[in-house]
Amino acid sequence: KDYRNMPIFFDDEEREYLKGSFSLAKIEDRIQSLRREYENICRLVPDFRRFTHEEFIWARLVVITRIFGLVIDGTKTDGLVPMADMLNHKRPRETKWTFSDSENGFIITTLKGMQGGDEVYDSYGRKCNSRFFVNYGFSLDENEDNEVVLQTEIPLSDPHFQMKARFLGIDDESIDYHREFQIPMTYKEKKTKECFTFLRFAHARDRELLLFSTSPLSGDDDYKTNNKHDDQKLDEREPLSIKNELLVLRSLRDSANDVLDGFDTTLEEDLRILADGVYPMYSNVRNAIVMRRGEKQVLHYYIDLYERCARLFEIPWKDLKREAAKCYNSTKPDDIYITNVVVPLVKKCR
């Protein structure tokens, strides 16, 4: 009957728990997009106003929180599937689902042995908590796909600013150029590499700039700029030099510290609140705290990554190889970065 657990309905007191979190901007974007949808429908179909804006939002949230993407008779479509839409999320997935033309129905198939009384889960896929939180009204206590929004820039004081501005198609060369990236911890993710590539370009000097190329931006590029006519993105570029990569990592550290300054609580305080069980599981306030805690964990990751790599770039090659051996086959994000970036870069430069 209502979706009080959805962040778009949080009251001021509940929103206060999200101070500093980029999810607040996501929530506002969702509120505005729902308003635009309603107004556009009413403009084209005036009789639609017999439904109030509140009724429209309720119906739209039914769809947002429960829709399944289906292929029926070869045609891509969407559907609401009663009962199937009640399954909770879990990864790695334990079931798969599809629409069967031969059975003329929606079928869920288990991928593991199950006993009577076992809970049946669905997987909503790999997503940052911001998407689970804003779109579905819950936050995962453990989520390796959490992301943060970081600000990057090419300042006017950069001696190569004009050259870099022309390279990126920047039309206003009188202000600092900013790009905003939303990235996870994992270096191998496309959006993370785009952020690293931009920062390598931002800190590039002299002949290093000749190593870059650009492509037109597409609609799915996951960052924002302060330049209205910016239509170029940098093609992926591997590390340039130890000095350049350290500047990249330092920029990420500084940006992460800036974001952390916007929160009223520390990561340690959030962990303590959650451990004490002050707020009930799945309550709005607890979901908000889990949301902001996940961001802080990623922010601290980038702060710690700089400190660890700055040390590794300075130690003798034989010591680095010994430390790198411990990272080999590890699934930890910092170990993956060390294996794929730090070691090859030091080997090339030395």
Side-chain angles (χ1 to χ4, degrees):
K1 293 184 177 180
D2 67 68
Y3 282 89
R4 185 63 184 79
N5 66 306
M6 297 294 286
I8 65 170
F9 294 125
F10 278 19
D11 58 33
D12 290 342
E13 184 178 343
E14 290 167 329
R15 283 193 175 213
E16 195 63 26
Y17 286 92
L18 294 168
K19 183 181 177 183
S21 169
F22 76 92
S23 64
L24 282 173
K26 300 281 187 185
I27 294 167
E28 188 59 33
D29 286 346
R30 173 51 55 88
I31 291 171
Q32 295 304 321
S33 70
L34 288 171
R35 168 61 70 180
R36 286 193 299 272
E37 280 187 27
Y38 178 72
E39 293 299 336
N40 284 335
I41 294 172
C42 291
R43 179 172 53 83
L44 295 169
V45 188
D47 191 46
F48 194 79
R49 287 201 183 274
R50 70 183 186 274
F51 303 112
T52 66
H53 180 240
E54 290 71 24
E55 289 173 323
F56 169 76
I57 289 180
W58 173 85
R60 191 69 178 89
L61 289 178
V62 170
V63 175
I64 291 170
T65 60
R66 297 171 182 275
I67 201 73
F68 286 89
L70 308 170
V71 177
I72 302 177
D73 292 330
T75 301
K76 281 188 176 182
T77 186
D78 300 300
L80 294 172
V81 188
M83 292 304 295
D85 61 13
M86 299 297 291
L87 300 185
N88 285 326
H89 164 77
K90 187 176 183 181
R91 274 187 49 84
R93 67 175 185 160
E94 298 180 353
T95 59
K96 64 179 181 178
W97 49 263
T98 188
F99 185 89
S100 170
D101 290 330
S102 61
E103 299 285 343
N104 193 32
F106 184 90
I107 295 177
I108 300 175
T109 305
T110 182
L111 301 175
K112 54 172 281 188
M114 301 189 73
Q115 302 295 322
D118 287 351
E119 180 171 356
V120 180
Y121 292 94
D122 181 21
S123 171
Y124 299 4
R126 290 181 55 194
K127 293 179 177 66
C128 169
N129 262 355
S130 64
R131 292 183 63 187
F132 288 129
F133 184 56
V134 176
N135 295 343
Y136 304 108
F138 69 86
S139 300
L140 296 177
D141 277 51
E142 302 295 333
N143 188 354
E144 62 184 16
D145 296 307
N146 279 337
E147 299 174 348
V148 291
V149 170
L150 297 177
Q151 304 294 330
T152 65
E153 70 169 4
I154 302 176
L156 273 173
S157 58
D158 187 317
H160 301 295
F161 182 84
Q162 288 188 328
M163 182 188 301
K164 292 175 180 178
R166 288 194 295 270
F167 195 81
L168 292 173
I170 299 172
D171 58 324
D172 189 347
E173 297 182 16
S174 63
I175 58 173
D176 294 343
Y177 177 73
H178 297 271
R179 273 193 183 177
E180 178 184 281
F181 290 89
Q182 183 176 324
I183 60 173
M185 291 187 284
T186 309
Y187 176 73
K188 289 187 175 182
E189 290 290 332
K190 177 175 177 286
K191 58 179 70 176
T192 309
K193 288 197 170 185
E194 286 179 347
C195 179
F196 270 78
T197 292
F198 175 78
L199 285 171
R200 287 164 185 155
F201 176 76
H203 293 291
R205 294 292 181 267
D206 303 318
R207 297 183 65 179
E208 289 178 335
L209 290 167
L210 301 176
L211 301 173
F212 289 88
S213 58
T214 60
S215 301
L217 284 171
S218 62
D220 61 352
D221 290 303
D222 205 355
Y223 54 78
K224 300 176 183 177
T225 79
N226 67 331
N227 183 61
K228 293 180 180 178
H229 305 292
D230 184 22
D231 59 357
Q232 296 291 314
K233 74 167 183 175
L234 293 158
D235 294 328
E236 185 179 309
R237 180 71 222 177
E238 291 304 311
L240 306 176
S241 66
I242 292 175
K243 180 180 179 181
N244 179 273
E245 197 69 9
L246 274 171
L247 290 170
V248 169
L249 293 171
R250 184 184 300 168
S251 293
L252 291 169
R253 178 202 64 182
D254 293 346
S255 182
N257 275 317
D258 289 342
V259 177
L260 283 173
D261 287 342
F263 290 97
D264 284 341
T265 59
T266 65
L267 173 58
E268 291 72 23
E269 288 171 327
D270 287 350
L271 292 171
R272 189 161 54 250
I273 293 170
L274 293 171
D276 289 345
V278 177
Y279 301 102
M281 286 291 291
Y282 313 121
S283 63
N284 289 353
V285 172
R286 189 180 189 280
N287 281 335
I289 295 172
V290 172
M291 171 68 223
R292 75 190 190 199
R293 182 211 57 183
E295 288 180 66
K296 292 171 190 174
Q297 288 172 324
V298 181
L299 293 167
H300 278 280
Y301 164 78
Y302 279 107
I303 294 169
D304 295 341
L305 184 66
Y306 169 78
E307 302 300 335
R308 184 180 181 188
C309 292
R311 181 183 65 83
L312 292 178
F313 279 128
E314 291 182 352
I315 64 176
W317 172 242
K318 64 175 182 177
D319 295 332
L320 176 59
K321 286 197 296 182
R322 188 161 47 246
E323 181 128 359
K326 303 174 187 175
C327 304
Y328 193 69
N329 287 334
S330 170
T331 58
K332 293 173 59 179
D334 52 342
D335 289 343
I336 291 173
Y337 176 80
I338 289 166
T339 301
N340 287 273
V341 175
V342 175
V343 174
L345 181 58
V346 172
K347 187 176 182 179
K348 181 182 76 171
C349 294
R350 292 183 180 176

